[in-house]
Amino acid sequence: MTRPATTDDASTASADSPWTLRDYALIADGERGALIDPRGGIAWLCAPAWHDGAVFNGLLGGPGRYRIRPADRWNVWGGYYEDGTLIRVSRWVTADGIISCREALALPAEAGRVVLLRQIRAVRGPALVDIDLDVRADYGRHPMTQMLRESGTWQARTGSLHVRFTGAAGARPDPDGGLRTRLRLPEGGAHDLVLDLATQPQSDSLDPPALWDATERWWNATVPDCTDTAAPRDTRMAYAVLNGLTSANGGMVAAATTSLPERADTGRDYDYRYAWVRDQCYAGIAVAAHGPHALLDRATAFVTDRILEDGTGLRPAYTVDGKPLPPERRLPFVGYPGGGDRTGNRAGRQFQLDVFGEALQLFAAAARHDALDTRAVEAATMAADAIAERWTEPDAGLWELENRWWTHSRLCCVVGLRDLSRRLRTPASAEWSRLADRILDATRSRCVHPDGHWQRADDDAGPEAALLLPLARGAVPRTDPSFSLTRSQVARLLADDGYVYRFRHGDEPLGDAEGAFLLCGFTMALAAHAQGRHTEAARWFERTRSACGPTGLFAEEYDVAQRQLRGNLPQGFVHALLLECSARFGDATDAMSSAGW
């Protein structure tokens, strides 16, 4: 039996070498998510919740695996998502036929239980498929124990998790503690596997047809029709991703993974399996641009709860159940190539002023759909009061850097206060508007460059792509010269081949320090659209939209030279801004017509 990994050699002993990030697919149920590699392996899955230890650790070079792959290794992989869902169909063309594997996390989800569905099909010709399962809880520390087969179902324990596995009655334990079997299917045949991991013993029947039916019905009821948007299929995919990343209590993780590098060997690899208030607001605002869908209510409820609990001490990020982030610690793995192996995130202890402004924008968006209850109104008032109290303080800002007087943070507060004052007619509304004017005047005097564009901070004249979002949302009039000058400066100094970077790192050329930020590409599109430059907006939108991998998922960054995704995957706020652009730009016919296509 292989012991839990404690060294780099041990951690990579049972792991396949990883794929480029663009090749991974995601299945998720809101409470956790799994990455699937093209070989048919579950490369990453944390259970029972996003921030808990992984049971399949191969993405970072650790133990734990669940592979379904053709016995004929001479094959070409592919696959697709069923429209508007995170139901994935992996597909392999072998020398003698075609094999597929339909995969999903069962829905509706339970907080302490994950059910992973996989259905193998012999699409053309007979199929010979190898199945290999080795569940290792808490980042590989706990091999499966107490393994037994009863009425065709395998049962085991791994750490605090109870394991059930159906559909592999003929499997045999292997020397390292896993289960292996080979499955033969005639042409047209199908076979179901169900893996159940739970914090409590389960006794219900694992009925594949019923589980698949419930999962399909959940997705059909959750993801709206998007034919009125600029990119209907990608917009539905964005909705599916955002739903897949959002727990039942509304907390949306920034990404499903940890420690995937933004740039090789730079130390910029972080744990994103937590709910950032800002990202939550971006998602809610994007959904509100399309309609009053359930994701808007869930985002509003989560942000409301956090503000009511913490007030002016609002944290930038929480676990999806609203708890403080754990401190950073290292894992005993080699890590994804070029990256590290850490959990926890110190950003949870920072002061980031802009989150209060983003929260007000979210509340205003909810109010437009009559979706703001009395608790949310109370939270909105508290957020406005927090801005009044703290807007002059230096903060860590959007990019979680050193505390400075960041322009973006103040402009976000200006937008939020104005939006709220228009939507909530309370005795405080007029004061919110006056406060917005005071913040704008002070920020303009300190942060507008002599050349007329907005600069990053009062002590930093550099260009900053993040400024485009509050400008697009009305921090200043759309005809204000500072808006056009800032957008022109970003296009001239922070764009390459149609992709947009955050800011410059000293004198380094764009692309040397980090990849293009896909969030910034979509905000550039929104900014152009806000100024009525629809052809230009469509070009920025389409260029940024092209950066996804074959699976349709976006990471945080894009390496323009190598055409590769960088950073944690999938990045929720990128999908949110794609959704917002697509909703605001209208249906595909109008968008292409305005672009001259």
Side-chain angles (χ1 to χ4, degrees):
M1 181 179 294
T2 301
R3 58 184 172 84
T6 56
T7 68
D8 286 355
D9 288 342
S11 68
T12 58
S14 62
D16 288 325
S17 60
W19 293 75
T20 57
L21 296 181
R22 65 196 304 272
D23 293 329
Y24 287 99
L26 172 80
I27 54 175
D29 64 8
E31 307 300 334
R32 77 291 291 175
L35 259 61
I36 305 172
D37 69 35
R39 298 186 186 96
I42 305 296
W44 183 255
L45 171 64
C46 297
W50 292 107
H51 53 268
D52 288 321
V55 297
F56 303 128
N57 302 274
L59 185 69
L60 300 185
R65 62 187 182 274
Y66 183 15
R67 302 169 180 147
I68 293 176
R69 59 178 64 177
D72 180 2
R73 300 295 192 260
W74 185 255
N75 63 73
V76 174
W77 65 273
Y80 58 92
Y81 282 102
E82 296 178 6
D83 185 33
T85 76
L86 290 184
I87 298 173
R88 177 73 180 175
V89 180
S90 299
R91 190 172 182 271
W92 301 276
V93 179
T94 70
D96 300 315
I98 299 174
I99 302 169
S100 72
C101 184
R102 193 181 190 217
E103 300 160 304
L105 296 187
L107 287 156
E110 299 178 37
R113 182 184 185 192
V114 53
V115 179
L116 201 164
L117 309 176
R118 306 186 86 173
Q119 184 181 79
I120 306 166
R121 288 186 177 274
V123 178
R124 191 184 73 199
L128 191 62
V129 178
D130 289 329
I131 301 168
D132 182 6
L133 176 70
D134 184 11
V135 186
R136 301 272 179 138
D138 196 17
Y139 303 110
R141 292 182 175 88
H142 302 287
M144 289 194 295
T145 61
Q146 305 175 38
M147 197 181 304
L148 62 90
R149 182 177 56 198
E150 186 175 294
S151 301
T153 297
W154 284 97
Q155 300 185 46
R157 291 292 302 275
T158 174
S160 62
L161 296 175
H162 298 261
V163 181
R164 289 194 297 168
F165 187 43
T166 69
R172 294 289 182 269
D174 60 23
D176 67 359
L179 291 168
R180 296 178 189 266
T181 189
R182 177 164 282 187
L183 177 69
R184 298 176 184 273
L185 289 175
E187 183 173 28
H191 185 83
D192 284 287
L193 298 164
V194 181
L195 176 64
D196 180 12
L197 306 174
T199 55
Q200 300 294 326
Q202 304 293 319
S203 59
D204 60 322
S205 172
L206 295 174
D207 178 31
L211 291 167
W212 277 114
D213 180 65
T215 302
E216 292 162 2
R217 285 189 284 108
W218 190 93
W219 282 114
N220 288 337
T222 299
V223 176
D225 176 75
C226 296
T227 53
D228 57 345
T229 67
R233 186 177 181 87
D234 280 1
T235 308
R236 282 173 59 81
M237 181 64 180
Y239 267 113
V241 170
L242 295 176
N243 274 287
L245 297 179
T246 303
S247 67
N249 68 357
M252 183 192 81
V253 292
T257 57
T258 179
S259 302
L260 300 185
E262 298 174 6
R263 204 68 171 171
D265 303 318
T266 61
R268 294 206 306 273
D269 35 82
Y270 308 104
D271 190 350
Y272 279 8
R273 299 169 301 148
Y274 307 111
W276 264 256
V277 173
R278 179 188 303 105
D279 298 25
Q280 196 87 55
C281 294
Y282 286 170
I285 293 167
V287 171
H290 188 239
H293 305 301
L295 269 177
L296 172 59
D297 295 332
R298 291 157 75 186
T300 303
F302 184 82
V303 175
T304 294
D305 289 343
R306 303 291 75 74
I307 293 175
L308 292 180
E309 288 178 11
D310 291 341
T312 59
L314 180 70
R315 300 170 184 266
Y318 298 81
T319 61
V320 292
D321 53 2
K323 301 296 191 300
L325 302 194
E328 288 189 356
R329 66 182 180 90
R330 298 298 298 270
L331 295 173
F333 305 146
V334 66
Y336 188 88
D341 54 348
R342 72 180 77 183
T343 67
N345 198 302
R346 63 180 180 271
R349 300 190 297 274
Q350 292 181 340
F351 166 51
Q352 298 175 17
L353 174 67
D354 70 292
V355 298
F356 292 104
E358 303 288 3
L360 295 187
Q361 294 175 53
L362 171 65
F363 293 141
R368 286 197 294 272
H369 292 288
D370 296 321
L372 210 62
D373 61 21
T374 55
R375 293 184 76 252
V377 171
E378 182 184 355
T381 302
M382 290 178 67
D385 291 343
I387 293 173
E389 179 181 332
R390 306 195 66 178
W391 73 269
T392 60
E393 297 178 31
D395 73 296
L398 166 70
W399 305 128
E400 300 173 347
L401 303 173
E402 70 279 4
N403 284 347
R404 292 165 72 179
W405 223 79
W406 298 108
T407 308
H408 170 270
S409 295
R410 276 87 200 151
L411 294 184
C412 285
C413 292
V414 170
V415 176
L417 288 164
R418 285 180 175 165
D419 283 354
L420 193 67
S421 68
R422 287 191 291 264
R423 295 296 168 183
L424 293 186
R425 296 301 181 182
T426 71
S429 298
E431 178 52 36
W432 294 336
S433 182
R434 287 192 292 269
L435 176 59
D437 291 341
R438 290 198 302 273
I439 296 173
L440 181 62
D441 289 344
T443 308
R444 189 185 291 272
S445 68
R446 295 177 64 166
C447 300
V448 170
H449 191 272
D451 290 344
H453 61 263
W454 292 93
Q455 57 188 49
R456 294 188 71 203
D458 62 345
D459 61 349
D460 187 340
E464 169 62 85
L467 296 172
L468 297 176
L469 192 54
L471 292 174
R473 289 182 174 162
V476 299
R478 295 176 180 180
T479 56
D480 190 305
S482 67
F483 188 173
S484 296
L485 289 169
T486 302
R487 195 169 60 79
S488 296
Q489 188 199 41
V490 171
R492 180 170 54 88
L493 299 177
L494 294 179
D496 178 30
D497 198 25
Y499 299 100
V500 183
Y501 294 76
R502 296 187 297 173
F503 51 83
R504 286 191 172 273
H505 293 260
D507 296 327
E508 292 186 76
L510 291 178
D512 281 12
E514 64 182 17
F517 254 66
L518 299 178
L519 173 77
C520 297
F522 288 127
T523 58
M524 174 66 94
L526 284 175
H529 185 266
Q531 292 197 303
R533 302 178 68 90
H534 300 305
T535 299
E536 184 179 345
R539 288 172 176 164
W540 289 112
F541 174 68
E542 293 298 340
R543 191 55 164 162
T544 307
R545 189 164 71 103
S546 72
C548 67
T551 62
L553 301 178
F554 293 91
E556 186 173 38
E557 298 181 22
Y558 184 67
D559 186 318
V560 176
Q562 298 189 55
R563 300 180 186 270
Q564 295 290 351
L565 295 173
R566 304 292 186 215
N568 286 294
L569 182 80
Q571 192 75 23
F573 65 27
V574 178
H575 291 83
L577 266 293
L578 182 152
L579 193 164
E580 182 175 353
C581 285
S582 189
R584 295 193 187 282
F585 295 0
D587 66 64
T589 301
D590 288 346
M592 286 190 285
S593 175
S594 68
W597 296 340

